[in-house]
Amino acid sequence: MPDFDLSYVKDRIATESAFVDDLINEIGRVVVGQRYMVERLLIGLLGNGHVLLEGVPGLAKTLTVRALSDAIGTGFQRIQFTPDLLPADLLGTLVYNQKEGSFSIKKGPIFTNIILADEINRSPAKVQSALLESMQERQVTIGDTTFELDELFLVLATQNPIEQEGTYPLPEAQVDRFMLKIKVEYPTREEELEIMRRMARTGEQPDIRPVARPAQILNAREVLNELYIDERVEQYIVDLVLASRDPGGFGLSDVAPLVQYGASPRGSINLNLAARAHAFLRHRAYVTPEDVRAVAVDVLQHRIVITYEAEAEDVTSGEIVHRILDAVEVP
């Protein structure tokens, strides 16, 4: 990349990433801990990729997503997915006006900026497909009219990992459309104590002030394209993805029987984008192998389909990604 001007990009990064710390601090006024989840949501927002959140109820997933939308002053819709939800409830429908003898279009809640698809695996495949098509194509068709969605459009979906009765698990091909899959963990003892002190009282919680604008997010996305990523780091990303498809070729003969299918090319694309966003959050103008390693599990774990043998041995796809990270040489 001979025409790369590091000082120019550094200046741009300093200017365009100035809002990041304010954003994280503002969300921290209502969300205790969960820094990992907040950063991953920002990576999805900056990398223009949707995020799947998996965690038990009560871990502030909904609160965090709402706080994020309030902090950037943009539209937000929470949609509770249920077994009787219809695609029209999500996208909108044609309404017949009997007086005028004509149809008019009533848009659904998907026409906003940030969508929280709560418990997405509670709805059947027809509804899931309607949402995921909008995610991929960034457009919605109602009748014979097609509407473009806003440039700033992000789907943050949640699913409960413990209660599987009455659920419709997302097929692998649909899960692959999410840039990141985040396992939301319990808070630490100190965080739990702070949550109790802050939330175990009646009255309103602190309001979130807008500390960033949608235009700043869109500008930041443009800056991501200018971050320097060395060819060796690019090769490292490709090696990680190839190792998920052919573990034996990277000295992981014990892992090979555990993997049925590896990550798709979306894995390498999203790993590159997520690593860039991770570097941006740290105000850096270049991507390091550590940026790649930091986001690799969240980008790759839901793209690896494990075998029955892996299930029998209680080996998860996340553990397989960790083994790949340990085996593939870091540049």
Side-chain angles (χ1 to χ4, degrees):
M1 207 167 167
D3 57 344
F4 180 76
D5 186 344
L6 185 60
S7 60
Y8 167 74
V9 178
K10 276 183 177 178
D11 291 340
R12 283 214 66 186
I13 293 291
T15 302
E16 301 295 347
S17 68
F19 70 90
V20 167
D21 294 332
D22 292 337
L23 199 56
I24 292 174
N25 291 335
E26 188 64 21
I27 295 171
R29 293 179 59 237
V30 296
V31 179
V32 178
Q34 298 296 4
R35 174 73 179 242
Y36 185 90
M37 174 170 60
V38 172
E39 281 200 358
R40 267 47 188 180
L41 292 179
L42 288 176
I43 287 172
L45 186 66
L46 294 170
N48 198 19
H50 310 288
V51 181
L52 181 61
L53 300 166
E54 184 176 277
V56 298
L59 295 183
K61 298 186 294 295
T62 302
L63 178 64
T64 304
V65 174
R66 183 181 292 275
L68 173 62
S69 65
D70 289 344
I72 59 178
T74 193
F76 170 77
Q77 284 282 2
R78 176 184 178 274
I79 304 170
Q80 181 63 52
F81 278 60
T82 56
D84 60 348
L85 194 71
L86 298 173
D89 298 328
L90 185 68
L91 307 179
T93 188
L94 292 170
V95 178
Y96 182 68
N97 187 321
Q98 193 169 9
K99 184 178 180 181
E100 297 180 4
S102 61
F103 286 93
S104 60
I105 292 174
K106 182 181 179 183
K107 292 183 177 180
I110 201 167
F111 288 92
T112 188
N113 299 111
I114 294 181
I115 293 277
L116 175 61
D118 215 359
E119 293 190 293
I120 188 173
N121 55 337
R122 291 255 170 240
S123 287
K126 187 180 290 187
V127 180
Q128 295 174 2
S129 298
L131 174 67
L132 294 167
E133 181 183 2
S134 304
M135 292 163 52
Q136 185 70 20
E137 306 299 332
R138 308 282 173 156
Q139 64 183 29
V140 172
T141 301
I142 303 174
D144 57 358
T145 306
T146 298
F147 299 93
E148 296 288 334
L149 294 170
D150 285 351
E151 191 174 358
L152 182 58
F153 174 71
L154 187 70
V155 172
L156 306 174
T158 70
Q159 64 179 18
N160 185 343
I162 57 173
E163 190 182 348
Q164 298 304 322
E165 242 182 271
T167 61
Y168 304 82
L170 290 171
E172 285 78 8
Q174 294 183 344
V175 173
D176 191 44
R177 297 187 185 183
F178 286 94
M179 180 187 214
L180 305 168
K181 180 181 179 182
I182 305 169
K183 298 286 183 73
V184 185
E185 304 292 346
Y186 284 112
T188 64
R189 180 184 178 86
E190 292 74 20
E191 290 169 349
E192 186 89 23
L193 187 61
E194 178 60 26
I195 291 169
M196 183 183 66
R197 287 171 174 167
R198 190 183 296 188
M199 300 298 181
R201 61 179 66 185
T202 58
E204 295 186 1
Q205 300 300 326
D207 289 330
I208 292 288
R209 299 173 290 106
V211 294
R213 302 184 308 278
Q216 289 176 284
I217 304 298
L218 298 178
N219 289 339
R221 287 179 179 178
E222 292 181 9
V223 175
L224 287 191
N225 297 327
E226 300 180 15
L227 264 68
Y228 176 70
I229 178 165
D230 192 84
E231 185 179 348
R232 289 172 296 176
V233 178
E234 292 178 329
Q235 295 285 358
Y236 181 53
I237 290 172
V238 172
D239 284 345
L240 291 175
V241 173
L242 292 179
S244 75
R245 301 174 194 167
D246 178 25
F250 290 82
L252 291 166
S253 54
D254 58 327
V255 174
L258 307 178
V259 177
Q260 187 173 1
Y261 297 107
S264 72
R266 280 200 191 107
S268 53
I269 294 168
N270 286 324
L271 191 49
N272 185 306
L273 284 169
R276 288 173 183 267
H278 189 269
F280 181 89
L281 291 180
R282 280 145 187 78
H283 313 285
R284 271 194 277 105
Y286 55 91
V287 179
T288 69
E290 287 308 311
D291 292 315
V292 177
R293 293 174 64 84
V295 297
V297 175
D298 298 321
V299 172
L300 297 179
Q301 64 180 344
H302 57 295
R303 305 178 196 277
I304 295 175
V305 180
I306 60 176
T307 62
Y308 290 115
E309 184 176 337
E311 292 179 8
E313 295 179 12
D314 279 335
V315 177
T316 65
S317 57
E319 291 169 353
I320 290 172
V321 177
H322 280 294
R323 294 194 197 180
I324 290 171
L325 289 170
D326 291 338
V328 176
E329 185 180 353
V330 181

